[in-house]
Amino acid sequence: MAPLHPGRLLAGAAASIALAACASTAQPRTEIAGSPCFAPPRYECPDAINCPADARVFLGASTETKSGRKFFLDYPCDIKPGEKVAFILNLHGAGSIGSWQRLYFPAVDQKDTYRLVVATPTALTDQPTRRWTPEADDEYLHGIVDQVISEFGRENIETFWLAGHSQGGMTSRRIVCSDYFRDKVDGFLSLSGGRVGTPPRAPVAG
């Protein structure tokens, strides 16, 4: 076997070094699906002195592409391509909005420690009661999940949980075993509402 020409050896070594440099300099993403990596502040609205008027109605920076409806998407600022994450779909209760749910169940505060991706949507806002309904909201929720899976990669989502407060908890229980979610989600967390095996109320309650 003829020995390799020194020029070829140098070219091969240079190519290997270049590939290694590319791998080591992969930069974290600073914006995903329209949401910057830094989380908007969670104002104690409407009671906080520093609560701006738009914080009471802001529905998030990300857009669900099919409906054009907004949602919050929070993730670690130092997330790297291919990093494993836990995904939470965080549903508010009836009459509420996504920004209030981010305050009520502030998973976003733990996103860096536990490598969380948290999507917090808002039920259709032109409903008088603003409740999650199959007709108005299920496709919107499907679209959000599809976007998150597309952005982060199905293989990188190690676990996926639904979390819901009150009617959002009831909705989590309703959809967790639906045709769309059953092969994607690991379970649901009821912050209140929709619990399994709820004991009867005490005779003196309310």
Side-chain angles (χ1 to χ4, degrees):
M1 182 176 178
L4 287 175
H5 190 279
R8 293 182 179 178
L9 287 173
L10 288 173
S16 298
I17 292 170
L19 288 173
C22 289
S24 64
T25 58
Q27 296 298 312
R29 298 169 66 183
T30 58
E31 184 177 293
I32 297 177
S35 287
C37 71
F38 58 87
R42 293 190 301 100
Y43 298 104
E44 299 280 348
C45 297
D47 301 322
I49 296 174
N50 68 341
C51 179
D54 61 351
R56 306 181 191 189
V57 295
F58 183 54
L59 302 180
S62 289
T63 303
E64 194 278 310
T65 53
K66 292 181 181 178
S67 66
R69 290 163 60 181
K70 294 292 189 177
F71 65 98
F72 289 93
L73 183 64
D74 296 298
Y75 54 92
C77 279
D78 60 348
I79 193 167
K80 294 179 175 59
E83 183 176 347
K84 306 301 182 184
V85 297
F87 175 32
I88 300 173
L89 183 61
N90 191 17
L91 304 182
H92 64 72
S96 188
I97 59 176
S99 59
W100 287 48
Q101 180 67 9
R102 287 177 76 247
L103 172 65
Y104 174 77
F105 180 53
V108 61
D109 290 353
Q110 305 297 327
K111 67 185 178 69
D112 297 321
T113 302
Y114 295 105
R115 317 313 287 170
L116 302 180
V117 172
V118 186
T120 310
T122 297
L124 192 64
T125 53
D126 61 4
Q127 299 178 74
T129 56
R130 201 180 302 130
R131 296 168 60 89
W132 298 103
T133 65
E135 300 78 15
D137 299 302
D138 280 12
E139 287 301 316
Y140 164 59
L141 297 179
H142 298 173
I144 290 173
V145 173
D146 288 344
Q147 280 181 248
V148 170
I149 290 174
S150 175
E151 292 285 356
F152 294 91
R154 183 186 291 268
E155 70 280 6
N156 298 322
I157 298 175
E158 289 193 310
T159 184
F160 173 19
W161 290 83
L162 307 176
H165 165 61
S166 193
Q167 200 258 337
M170 295 168 64
T171 299
S172 296
R173 182 176 180 182
R174 175 179 65 80
I175 65 177
V176 68
C177 291
S178 66
D179 289 343
Y180 176 84
F181 281 98
R182 65 191 310 155
D183 65 345
K184 298 178 180 68
V185 73
D186 293 292
F188 77 96
L189 170 64
S190 171
L191 306 174
S192 72
R195 293 175 179 166
V196 176
T198 304
R201 299 180 72 189
V204 296

